[in-house]
Amino acid sequence: MADRPAERLQSLTGMRDVLWPESARRRELVDRFVGTASAAGYREVVPPLLEDLRVFLRVGEATDVVTKEMYEFTDRDGTRVALRPELTAGVVRAFVQHRPLTPWKVFYTGSNFRHERPQKGRYRSFDQVGIEAIGSDDADLDVEVIALAWRFFEDIGLTEVQLLLNTLGEHDDRARYTEAVRGHLGAHRDSLSEAARTTLERNPLRVLDSRRPEDRAAVATAPTIAEFLSPAASQHFARVKEGLEALGIPYTIDERLVRGLDYYRRTTFEFAAMALDAAQNAIGGGGRYDGLAESMGGKPTDGIGFALGVDRMLLAADAESVFEAPEAHLDAFVVDLTGGAAARDITHELRAAGISADRRFDPGSMKSQMKAADRSGAGHAVIVGEDELAAGEVTVRVLRGHSDTAGESVQERVRRQDLVAHLQQRR
RNA sequence: GUGGCCGUAGCUCAGUCCGGUUAGAGCGCCAGGUUGUGGCCCUGGAGGUCGGGGGUUCAAGUCCCCUCGGUCACCCCA
């Protein structure tokens, strides 16, 4: 067989690698979210990536997410399973399974999978951060959940975010409203786009947020949810709005806001990044899902939560020129001109003392090592030459951006055994 | 799933319309200038299956077909 170079393998469509420094931004974003959620009493839950297919079917059999976009397959033992397309279903399943004390306030971070055609801000594997609060129908909880997302956007510096708010009413309200919409759109069937006519069959409410121009007229004259709300649902919604106003969180009522998953009841909301001109400008969304726990075999339990898209928040941050990638940083970079043993030992010693340190392998000339030191973002170069080695010393040189005297280089000899203390002091 | 646009060095791109000697630039990388001192500057260098396959031709990065990938929009959604 002739030698032929192996095919260069690459990531799957819609899946990508996140390399530094972008990875550092993501890490920072997720860490900040964990801080925000924890500080409000939410505790982490880590559901599995793979679930019994039925967990997700409960999310809504009429939704594209479930019917067309799921990575599902039959496991070796014949079980029908799926990679999670979102996190709420798994979290509610966990709630039903473990019966924790309520209200169960949890946060999560992790990847989801949807087999869609990728585009800007939409990948087949995408990360979300989110929270769920299960076991209370207090409207103030709706307010807390929304406020927490709002706080988080402020924390990472996003300012051009619009909160879109709506209510879908109680289960029965939603059902009656759905029928009314079906009736109305059915009467205007001829003017609807073909896609809308298909959608109308299985999920009339979804037609309401169609972007197609042909559908606009019929949608504009469609009945609104307001007239179908029960007194209880109206009151709940009023309290949510009142709470948001009290906290100074601006919102826009959007009666067309239906959201893609079938389980939503009462409060629904979405966060739109106004700085993004891309089609995918929703950076997060959520709502109440009273009834979901019941559908998974649990007792009827109210819940509310949101999920925020990590990629889209970062795109929005780019558009607003905020939340930039942190620069590389190290306390010290060890430059060894004596063969490498000193670098090996000093680097190890510094790290053990809690001082961040790196060095160059296959070290090359001093110049090349100094360049590497500069690139590493290190505050100091710890230089070991034959002189220093013989004297039991090292040279500590202050590098760019850490020098007190602008432009002037500063360096001094330090006894080897004083190096750790010296660097700790300079930090 | 449907449609438009695009694949040339690690990155950003020129060259493709009108086929023609060793395929270029900037940035980055490496080395030297500075035999123990980074950044700035100067000089030099390495680095390319021109996405892949097939076809037309004396000759293909350039033309044709297929295919893979990317991107944007629709759909849908974070």
PDB file of all heavy atoms in Angstrom, chain A residues 112-144:
ATOM      1  N   ASN A 112     -26.008  22.248  25.215  1.00  0.00           N
ATOM      2  CA  ASN A 112     -27.226  21.661  24.667  1.00  0.00           C
ATOM      3  C   ASN A 112     -26.973  21.369  23.196  1.00  0.00           C
ATOM      4  O   ASN A 112     -26.057  21.940  22.599  1.00  0.00           O
ATOM      5  CB  ASN A 112     -28.391  22.637  24.789  1.00  0.00           C
ATOM      6  CG  ASN A 112     -28.632  23.030  26.225  1.00  0.00           C
ATOM      7  OD1 ASN A 112     -29.062  22.237  27.034  1.00  0.00           O
ATOM      8  ND2 ASN A 112     -28.313  24.274  26.550  1.00  0.00           N
ATOM      9  N   PHE A 113     -27.818  20.535  22.623  1.00  0.00           N
ATOM     10  CA  PHE A 113     -27.595  20.113  21.243  1.00  0.00           C
ATOM     11  C   PHE A 113     -28.877  20.181  20.430  1.00  0.00           C
ATOM     12  O   PHE A 113     -29.893  19.638  20.824  1.00  0.00           O
ATOM     13  CB  PHE A 113     -27.047  18.679  21.237  1.00  0.00           C
ATOM     14  CG  PHE A 113     -25.772  18.551  22.009  1.00  0.00           C
ATOM     15  CD1 PHE A 113     -25.800  18.314  23.387  1.00  0.00           C
ATOM     16  CD2 PHE A 113     -24.550  18.725  21.390  1.00  0.00           C
ATOM     17  CE1 PHE A 113     -24.622  18.233  24.109  1.00  0.00           C
ATOM     18  CE2 PHE A 113     -23.365  18.654  22.113  1.00  0.00           C
ATOM     19  CZ  PHE A 113     -23.404  18.401  23.477  1.00  0.00           C
ATOM     20  N   ARG A 114     -28.792  20.881  19.322  1.00  0.00           N
ATOM     21  CA  ARG A 114     -29.926  20.917  18.407  1.00  0.00           C
ATOM     22  C   ARG A 114     -29.395  20.813  16.994  1.00  0.00           C
ATOM     23  O   ARG A 114     -28.479  21.541  16.616  1.00  0.00           O
ATOM     24  CB  ARG A 114     -30.716  22.242  18.554  1.00  0.00           C
ATOM     25  CG  ARG A 114     -31.395  22.359  19.906  1.00  0.00           C
ATOM     26  CD  ARG A 114     -32.186  23.646  20.016  1.00  0.00           C
ATOM     27  NE  ARG A 114     -32.534  23.883  21.416  1.00  0.00           N
ATOM     28  CZ  ARG A 114     -33.114  25.006  21.875  1.00  0.00           C
ATOM     29  NH1 ARG A 114     -33.408  25.973  21.032  1.00  0.00           N
ATOM     30  NH2 ARG A 114     -33.376  25.145  23.144  1.00  0.00           N
ATOM     31  N   HIS A 115     -30.010  19.920  16.235  1.00  0.00           N
ATOM     32  CA  HIS A 115     -29.539  19.701  14.876  1.00  0.00           C
ATOM     33  C   HIS A 115     -30.233  20.684  13.939  1.00  0.00           C
ATOM     34  O   HIS A 115     -31.226  20.359  13.296  1.00  0.00           O
ATOM     35  CB  HIS A 115     -29.815  18.256  14.447  1.00  0.00           C
ATOM     36  CG  HIS A 115     -29.126  17.888  13.184  1.00  0.00           C
ATOM     37  ND1 HIS A 115     -27.959  17.172  13.156  1.00  0.00           N
ATOM     38  CD2 HIS A 115     -29.417  18.180  11.900  1.00  0.00           C
ATOM     39  CE1 HIS A 115     -27.573  17.017  11.911  1.00  0.00           C
ATOM     40  NE2 HIS A 115     -28.444  17.621  11.118  1.00  0.00           N
ATOM     41  N   GLU A 116     -29.686  21.899  13.889  1.00  0.00           N
ATOM     42  CA  GLU A 116     -30.237  22.933  13.014  1.00  0.00           C
ATOM     43  C   GLU A 116     -29.157  23.363  12.051  1.00  0.00           C
ATOM     44  O   GLU A 116     -27.990  23.076  12.241  1.00  0.00           O
ATOM     45  CB  GLU A 116     -30.646  24.166  13.823  1.00  0.00           C
ATOM     46  CG  GLU A 116     -31.601  23.904  14.949  1.00  0.00           C
ATOM     47  CD  GLU A 116     -31.809  25.160  15.763  1.00  0.00           C
ATOM     48  OE1 GLU A 116     -31.027  25.425  16.689  1.00  0.00           O
ATOM     49  OE2 GLU A 116     -32.750  25.883  15.442  1.00  0.00           O
ATOM     50  N   ARG A 117     -29.551  24.138  11.075  1.00  0.00           N
ATOM     51  CA  ARG A 117     -28.560  24.727  10.171  1.00  0.00           C
ATOM     52  C   ARG A 117     -27.884  25.858  10.920  1.00  0.00           C
ATOM     53  O   ARG A 117     -28.558  26.779  11.389  1.00  0.00           O
ATOM     54  CB  ARG A 117     -29.295  25.244   8.946  1.00  0.00           C
ATOM     55  CG  ARG A 117     -28.453  25.546   7.771  1.00  0.00           C
ATOM     56  CD  ARG A 117     -27.864  24.319   7.102  1.00  0.00           C
ATOM     57  NE  ARG A 117     -27.211  24.797   5.896  1.00  0.00           N
ATOM     58  CZ  ARG A 117     -27.800  24.792   4.705  1.00  0.00           C
ATOM     59  NH1 ARG A 117     -28.981  24.263   4.567  1.00  0.00           N
ATOM     60  NH2 ARG A 117     -27.183  25.289   3.658  1.00  0.00           N
ATOM     61  N   PRO A 118     -26.566  25.809  11.063  1.00  0.00           N
ATOM     62  CA  PRO A 118     -25.884  26.839  11.856  1.00  0.00           C
ATOM     63  C   PRO A 118     -25.944  28.209  11.182  1.00  0.00           C
ATOM     64  O   PRO A 118     -26.032  28.306   9.958  1.00  0.00           O
ATOM     65  CB  PRO A 118     -24.426  26.367  11.912  1.00  0.00           C
ATOM     66  CG  PRO A 118     -24.376  25.050  11.247  1.00  0.00           C
ATOM     67  CD  PRO A 118     -25.649  24.836  10.504  1.00  0.00           C
ATOM     68  N   GLN A 119     -25.924  29.230  11.978  1.00  0.00           N
ATOM     69  CA  GLN A 119     -25.740  30.590  11.478  1.00  0.00           C
ATOM     70  C   GLN A 119     -25.203  31.417  12.631  1.00  0.00           C
ATOM     71  O   GLN A 119     -24.875  30.865  13.677  1.00  0.00           O
ATOM     72  CB  GLN A 119     -27.032  31.175  10.913  1.00  0.00           C
ATOM     73  CG  GLN A 119     -28.112  31.448  11.941  1.00  0.00           C
ATOM     74  CD  GLN A 119     -29.420  31.848  11.292  1.00  0.00           C
ATOM     75  OE1 GLN A 119     -30.110  31.014  10.762  1.00  0.00           O
ATOM     76  NE2 GLN A 119     -29.745  33.116  11.344  1.00  0.00           N
ATOM     77  N   LYS A 120     -25.106  32.711  12.391  1.00  0.00           N
ATOM     78  CA  LYS A 120     -24.484  33.549  13.408  1.00  0.00           C
ATOM     79  C   LYS A 120     -25.219  33.406  14.740  1.00  0.00           C
ATOM     80  O   LYS A 120     -26.421  33.596  14.808  1.00  0.00           O
ATOM     81  CB  LYS A 120     -24.514  35.005  12.970  1.00  0.00           C
ATOM     82  CG  LYS A 120     -23.587  35.886  13.769  1.00  0.00           C
ATOM     83  CD  LYS A 120     -23.565  37.281  13.177  1.00  0.00           C
ATOM     84  CE  LYS A 120     -22.475  38.115  13.809  1.00  0.00           C
ATOM     85  NZ  LYS A 120     -21.139  37.597  13.502  1.00  0.00           N
ATOM     86  N   GLY A 121     -24.483  33.054  15.780  1.00  0.00           N
ATOM     87  CA  GLY A 121     -25.085  32.939  17.099  1.00  0.00           C
ATOM     88  C   GLY A 121     -25.905  31.678  17.281  1.00  0.00           C
ATOM     89  O   GLY A 121     -26.613  31.543  18.262  1.00  0.00           O
ATOM     90  N   ARG A 122     -25.808  30.776  16.338  1.00  0.00           N
ATOM     91  CA  ARG A 122     -26.549  29.525  16.511  1.00  0.00           C
ATOM     92  C   ARG A 122     -25.702  28.345  16.071  1.00  0.00           C
ATOM     93  O   ARG A 122     -25.331  28.232  14.904  1.00  0.00           O
ATOM     94  CB  ARG A 122     -27.840  29.546  15.703  1.00  0.00           C
ATOM     95  CG  ARG A 122     -28.683  28.311  16.001  1.00  0.00           C
ATOM     96  CD  ARG A 122     -30.013  28.370  15.332  1.00  0.00           C
ATOM     97  NE  ARG A 122     -29.905  28.117  13.912  1.00  0.00           N
ATOM     98  CZ  ARG A 122     -30.936  28.257  13.068  1.00  0.00           C
ATOM     99  NH1 ARG A 122     -32.085  28.660  13.502  1.00  0.00           N
ATOM    100  NH2 ARG A 122     -30.773  27.996  11.797  1.00  0.00           N
ATOM    101  N   TYR A 123     -25.411  27.475  16.982  1.00  0.00           N
ATOM    102  CA  TYR A 123     -24.580  26.316  16.703  1.00  0.00           C
ATOM    103  C   TYR A 123     -25.310  25.064  17.158  1.00  0.00           C
ATOM    104  O   TYR A 123     -26.234  25.123  17.950  1.00  0.00           O
ATOM    105  CB  TYR A 123     -23.234  26.452  17.422  1.00  0.00           C
ATOM    106  CG  TYR A 123     -22.583  27.770  17.138  1.00  0.00           C
ATOM    107  CD1 TYR A 123     -22.705  28.834  18.022  1.00  0.00           C
ATOM    108  CD2 TYR A 123     -21.904  27.964  15.949  1.00  0.00           C
ATOM    109  CE1 TYR A 123     -22.152  30.068  17.726  1.00  0.00           C
ATOM    110  CE2 TYR A 123     -21.342  29.186  15.647  1.00  0.00           C
ATOM    111  CZ  TYR A 123     -21.470  30.243  16.539  1.00  0.00           C
ATOM    112  OH  TYR A 123     -20.928  31.455  16.245  1.00  0.00           O
ATOM    113  N   ARG A 124     -24.860  23.941  16.664  1.00  0.00           N
ATOM    114  CA  ARG A 124     -25.536  22.684  17.031  1.00  0.00           C
ATOM    115  C   ARG A 124     -25.200  22.277  18.452  1.00  0.00           C
ATOM    116  O   ARG A 124     -25.956  21.563  19.084  1.00  0.00           O
ATOM    117  CB  ARG A 124     -25.154  21.596  16.034  1.00  0.00           C
ATOM    118  CG  ARG A 124     -25.795  21.860  14.693  1.00  0.00           C
ATOM    119  CD  ARG A 124     -25.517  20.762  13.684  1.00  0.00           C
ATOM    120  NE  ARG A 124     -26.246  21.029  12.451  1.00  0.00           N
ATOM    121  CZ  ARG A 124     -26.157  20.295  11.357  1.00  0.00           C
ATOM    122  NH1 ARG A 124     -25.357  19.233  11.341  1.00  0.00           N
ATOM    123  NH2 ARG A 124     -26.857  20.600  10.297  1.00  0.00           N
ATOM    124  N   SER A 125     -24.071  22.695  18.903  1.00  0.00           N
ATOM    125  CA  SER A 125     -23.721  22.511  20.307  1.00  0.00           C
ATOM    126  C   SER A 125     -23.566  23.906  20.877  1.00  0.00           C
ATOM    127  O   SER A 125     -22.754  24.686  20.392  1.00  0.00           O
ATOM    128  CB  SER A 125     -22.404  21.739  20.413  1.00  0.00           C
ATOM    129  OG  SER A 125     -21.909  21.825  21.722  1.00  0.00           O
ATOM    130  N   PHE A 126     -24.367  24.237  21.855  1.00  0.00           N
ATOM    131  CA  PHE A 126     -24.313  25.600  22.387  1.00  0.00           C
ATOM    132  C   PHE A 126     -24.471  25.587  23.892  1.00  0.00           C
ATOM    133  O   PHE A 126     -25.094  24.692  24.460  1.00  0.00           O
ATOM    134  CB  PHE A 126     -25.399  26.471  21.740  1.00  0.00           C
ATOM    135  CG  PHE A 126     -26.805  26.010  22.021  1.00  0.00           C
ATOM    136  CD1 PHE A 126     -27.575  26.640  22.982  1.00  0.00           C
ATOM    137  CD2 PHE A 126     -27.341  24.947  21.317  1.00  0.00           C
ATOM    138  CE1 PHE A 126     -28.872  26.217  23.242  1.00  0.00           C
ATOM    139  CE2 PHE A 126     -28.638  24.511  21.583  1.00  0.00           C
ATOM    140  CZ  PHE A 126     -29.401  25.146  22.545  1.00  0.00           C
ATOM    141  N   ASP A 127     -23.874  26.575  24.524  1.00  0.00           N
ATOM    142  CA  ASP A 127     -23.867  26.619  25.980  1.00  0.00           C
ATOM    143  C   ASP A 127     -24.900  27.591  26.501  1.00  0.00           C
ATOM    144  O   ASP A 127     -25.120  28.655  25.922  1.00  0.00           O
ATOM    145  CB  ASP A 127     -22.486  27.053  26.469  1.00  0.00           C
ATOM    146  CG  ASP A 127     -21.483  25.919  26.366  1.00  0.00           C
ATOM    147  OD1 ASP A 127     -21.846  24.872  25.803  1.00  0.00           O
ATOM    148  OD2 ASP A 127     -20.356  26.079  26.847  1.00  0.00           O
ATOM    149  N   GLN A 128     -25.503  27.191  27.594  1.00  0.00           N
ATOM    150  CA  GLN A 128     -26.436  28.075  28.271  1.00  0.00           C
ATOM    151  C   GLN A 128     -26.085  28.152  29.747  1.00  0.00           C
ATOM    152  O   GLN A 128     -25.510  27.225  30.311  1.00  0.00           O
ATOM    153  CB  GLN A 128     -27.876  27.547  28.153  1.00  0.00           C
ATOM    154  CG  GLN A 128     -28.488  27.683  26.777  1.00  0.00           C
ATOM    155  CD  GLN A 128     -29.933  27.223  26.743  1.00  0.00           C
ATOM    156  OE1 GLN A 128     -30.323  26.336  27.494  1.00  0.00           O
ATOM    157  NE2 GLN A 128     -30.723  27.823  25.873  1.00  0.00           N
ATOM    158  N   VAL A 129     -26.474  29.254  30.347  1.00  0.00           N
ATOM    159  CA  VAL A 129     -26.506  29.339  31.805  1.00  0.00           C
ATOM    160  C   VAL A 129     -27.960  29.658  32.148  1.00  0.00           C
ATOM    161  O   VAL A 129     -28.658  30.286  31.354  1.00  0.00           O
ATOM    162  CB  VAL A 129     -25.563  30.430  32.355  1.00  0.00           C
ATOM    163  CG1 VAL A 129     -24.116  30.125  32.001  1.00  0.00           C
ATOM    164  CG2 VAL A 129     -25.956  31.810  31.833  1.00  0.00           C
ATOM    165  N   GLY A 130     -28.404  29.204  33.285  1.00  0.00           N
ATOM    166  CA  GLY A 130     -29.803  29.475  33.616  1.00  0.00           C
ATOM    167  C   GLY A 130     -30.144  29.125  35.046  1.00  0.00           C
ATOM    168  O   GLY A 130     -29.302  28.593  35.788  1.00  0.00           O
ATOM    169  N   ILE A 131     -31.361  29.471  35.414  1.00  0.00           N
ATOM    170  CA  ILE A 131     -31.847  29.112  36.742  1.00  0.00           C
ATOM    171  C   ILE A 131     -33.272  28.580  36.615  1.00  0.00           C
ATOM    172  O   ILE A 131     -33.970  28.853  35.641  1.00  0.00           O
ATOM    173  CB  ILE A 131     -31.854  30.319  37.718  1.00  0.00           C
ATOM    174  CG1 ILE A 131     -32.862  31.380  37.268  1.00  0.00           C
ATOM    175  CG2 ILE A 131     -30.478  30.918  37.855  1.00  0.00           C
ATOM    176  CD1 ILE A 131     -33.028  32.511  38.267  1.00  0.00           C
ATOM    177  N   GLU A 132     -33.671  27.812  37.613  1.00  0.00           N
ATOM    178  CA  GLU A 132     -35.051  27.380  37.732  1.00  0.00           C
ATOM    179  C   GLU A 132     -35.425  27.520  39.202  1.00  0.00           C
ATOM    180  O   GLU A 132     -34.607  27.265  40.085  1.00  0.00           O
ATOM    181  CB  GLU A 132     -35.233  25.905  37.324  1.00  0.00           C
ATOM    182  CG  GLU A 132     -34.682  25.513  35.962  1.00  0.00           C
ATOM    183  CD  GLU A 132     -35.417  26.129  34.780  1.00  0.00           C
ATOM    184  OE1 GLU A 132     -36.552  26.626  34.965  1.00  0.00           O
ATOM    185  OE2 GLU A 132     -34.836  26.138  33.678  1.00  0.00           O
ATOM    186  N   ALA A 133     -36.662  27.940  39.435  1.00  0.00           N
ATOM    187  CA  ALA A 133     -37.175  28.018  40.803  1.00  0.00           C
ATOM    188  C   ALA A 133     -38.511  27.280  40.790  1.00  0.00           C
ATOM    189  O   ALA A 133     -39.468  27.728  40.166  1.00  0.00           O
ATOM    190  CB  ALA A 133     -37.352  29.467  41.231  1.00  0.00           C
ATOM    191  N   ILE A 134     -38.528  26.137  41.450  1.00  0.00           N
ATOM    192  CA  ILE A 134     -39.679  25.245  41.333  1.00  0.00           C
ATOM    193  C   ILE A 134     -40.400  25.108  42.678  1.00  0.00           C
ATOM    194  O   ILE A 134     -39.753  24.906  43.710  1.00  0.00           O
ATOM    195  CB  ILE A 134     -39.221  23.852  40.854  1.00  0.00           C
ATOM    196  CG1 ILE A 134     -38.450  23.998  39.536  1.00  0.00           C
ATOM    197  CG2 ILE A 134     -40.415  22.928  40.670  1.00  0.00           C
ATOM    198  CD1 ILE A 134     -37.873  22.704  39.007  1.00  0.00           C
ATOM    199  N   GLY A 135     -41.725  25.242  42.640  1.00  0.00           N
ATOM    200  CA  GLY A 135     -42.504  24.979  43.836  1.00  0.00           C
ATOM    201  C   GLY A 135     -43.150  26.200  44.456  1.00  0.00           C
ATOM    202  O   GLY A 135     -43.494  26.181  45.640  1.00  0.00           O
ATOM    203  N   SER A 136     -43.308  27.250  43.689  1.00  0.00           N
ATOM    204  CA  SER A 136     -43.987  28.434  44.201  1.00  0.00           C
ATOM    205  C   SER A 136     -44.630  29.163  43.036  1.00  0.00           C
ATOM    206  O   SER A 136     -44.051  29.231  41.959  1.00  0.00           O
ATOM    207  CB  SER A 136     -43.006  29.363  44.904  1.00  0.00           C
ATOM    208  OG  SER A 136     -43.595  30.644  45.085  1.00  0.00           O
ATOM    209  N   ASP A 137     -45.828  29.693  43.266  1.00  0.00           N
ATOM    210  CA  ASP A 137     -46.419  30.487  42.193  1.00  0.00           C
ATOM    211  C   ASP A 137     -46.508  31.955  42.586  1.00  0.00           C
ATOM    212  O   ASP A 137     -47.226  32.729  41.984  1.00  0.00           O
ATOM    213  CB  ASP A 137     -47.781  29.929  41.778  1.00  0.00           C
ATOM    214  CG  ASP A 137     -48.863  30.228  42.805  1.00  0.00           C
ATOM    215  OD1 ASP A 137     -48.500  30.549  43.963  1.00  0.00           O
ATOM    216  OD2 ASP A 137     -50.051  30.145  42.460  1.00  0.00           O
ATOM    217  N   ASP A 138     -45.744  32.325  43.585  1.00  0.00           N
ATOM    218  CA  ASP A 138     -45.669  33.720  44.027  1.00  0.00           C
ATOM    219  C   ASP A 138     -45.158  34.593  42.875  1.00  0.00           C
ATOM    220  O   ASP A 138     -44.095  34.312  42.303  1.00  0.00           O
ATOM    221  CB  ASP A 138     -44.708  33.797  45.222  1.00  0.00           C
ATOM    222  CG  ASP A 138     -44.765  35.147  45.923  1.00  0.00           C
ATOM    223  OD1 ASP A 138     -45.066  36.167  45.253  1.00  0.00           O
ATOM    224  OD2 ASP A 138     -44.487  35.180  47.133  1.00  0.00           O
ATOM    225  N   ALA A 139     -45.886  35.628  42.558  1.00  0.00           N
ATOM    226  CA  ALA A 139     -45.472  36.509  41.455  1.00  0.00           C
ATOM    227  C   ALA A 139     -44.147  37.200  41.760  1.00  0.00           C
ATOM    228  O   ALA A 139     -43.410  37.582  40.851  1.00  0.00           O
ATOM    229  CB  ALA A 139     -46.557  37.553  41.174  1.00  0.00           C
ATOM    230  N   ASP A 140     -43.860  37.365  43.024  1.00  0.00           N
ATOM    231  CA  ASP A 140     -42.574  37.971  43.368  1.00  0.00           C
ATOM    232  C   ASP A 140     -41.404  37.080  42.953  1.00  0.00           C
ATOM    233  O   ASP A 140     -40.285  37.568  42.753  1.00  0.00           O
ATOM    234  CB  ASP A 140     -42.482  38.243  44.871  1.00  0.00           C
ATOM    235  CG  ASP A 140     -43.284  39.493  45.264  1.00  0.00           C
ATOM    236  OD1 ASP A 140     -43.615  40.286  44.354  1.00  0.00           O
ATOM    237  OD2 ASP A 140     -43.575  39.657  46.457  1.00  0.00           O
ATOM    238  N   LEU A 141     -41.670  35.796  42.841  1.00  0.00           N
ATOM    239  CA  LEU A 141     -40.619  34.894  42.369  1.00  0.00           C
ATOM    240  C   LEU A 141     -40.348  35.150  40.885  1.00  0.00           C
ATOM    241  O   LEU A 141     -39.191  35.157  40.455  1.00  0.00           O
ATOM    242  CB  LEU A 141     -41.019  33.437  42.604  1.00  0.00           C
ATOM    243  CG  LEU A 141     -39.986  32.373  42.225  1.00  0.00           C
ATOM    244  CD1 LEU A 141     -38.652  32.610  42.923  1.00  0.00           C
ATOM    245  CD2 LEU A 141     -40.512  30.980  42.567  1.00  0.00           C
ATOM    246  N   ASP A 142     -41.410  35.411  40.129  1.00  0.00           N
ATOM    247  CA  ASP A 142     -41.224  35.780  38.721  1.00  0.00           C
ATOM    248  C   ASP A 142     -40.325  37.006  38.643  1.00  0.00           C
ATOM    249  O   ASP A 142     -39.410  37.084  37.817  1.00  0.00           O
ATOM    250  CB  ASP A 142     -42.573  36.108  38.048  1.00  0.00           C
ATOM    251  CG  ASP A 142     -43.558  34.947  38.107  1.00  0.00           C
ATOM    252  OD1 ASP A 142     -43.568  34.225  39.111  1.00  0.00           O
ATOM    253  OD2 ASP A 142     -44.333  34.780  37.135  1.00  0.00           O
ATOM    254  N   VAL A 143     -40.625  37.955  39.539  1.00  0.00           N
ATOM    255  CA  VAL A 143     -39.856  39.199  39.553  1.00  0.00           C
ATOM    256  C   VAL A 143     -38.404  38.920  39.900  1.00  0.00           C
ATOM    257  O   VAL A 143     -37.485  39.428  39.262  1.00  0.00           O
ATOM    258  CB  VAL A 143     -40.469  40.210  40.551  1.00  0.00           C
ATOM    259  CG1 VAL A 143     -39.595  41.458  40.644  1.00  0.00           C
ATOM    260  CG2 VAL A 143     -41.892  40.576  40.127  1.00  0.00           C
ATOM    261  N   GLU A 144     -38.182  38.081  40.895  1.00  0.00           N
ATOM    262  CA  GLU A 144     -36.807  37.763  41.300  1.00  0.00           C
ATOM    263  C   GLU A 144     -36.025  37.144  40.155  1.00  0.00           C
ATOM    264  O   GLU A 144     -34.869  37.499  39.882  1.00  0.00           O
ATOM    265  CB  GLU A 144     -36.795  36.795  42.493  1.00  0.00           C
ATOM    266  CG  GLU A 144     -35.385  36.263  42.769  1.00  0.00           C
ATOM    267  CD  GLU A 144     -35.292  35.417  44.034  1.00  0.00           C
ATOM    268  OE1 GLU A 144     -35.520  35.984  45.121  1.00  0.00           O
ATOM    269  OE2 GLU A 144     -34.975  34.217  43.934  1.00  0.00           O
TER     270      GLU A 144
END
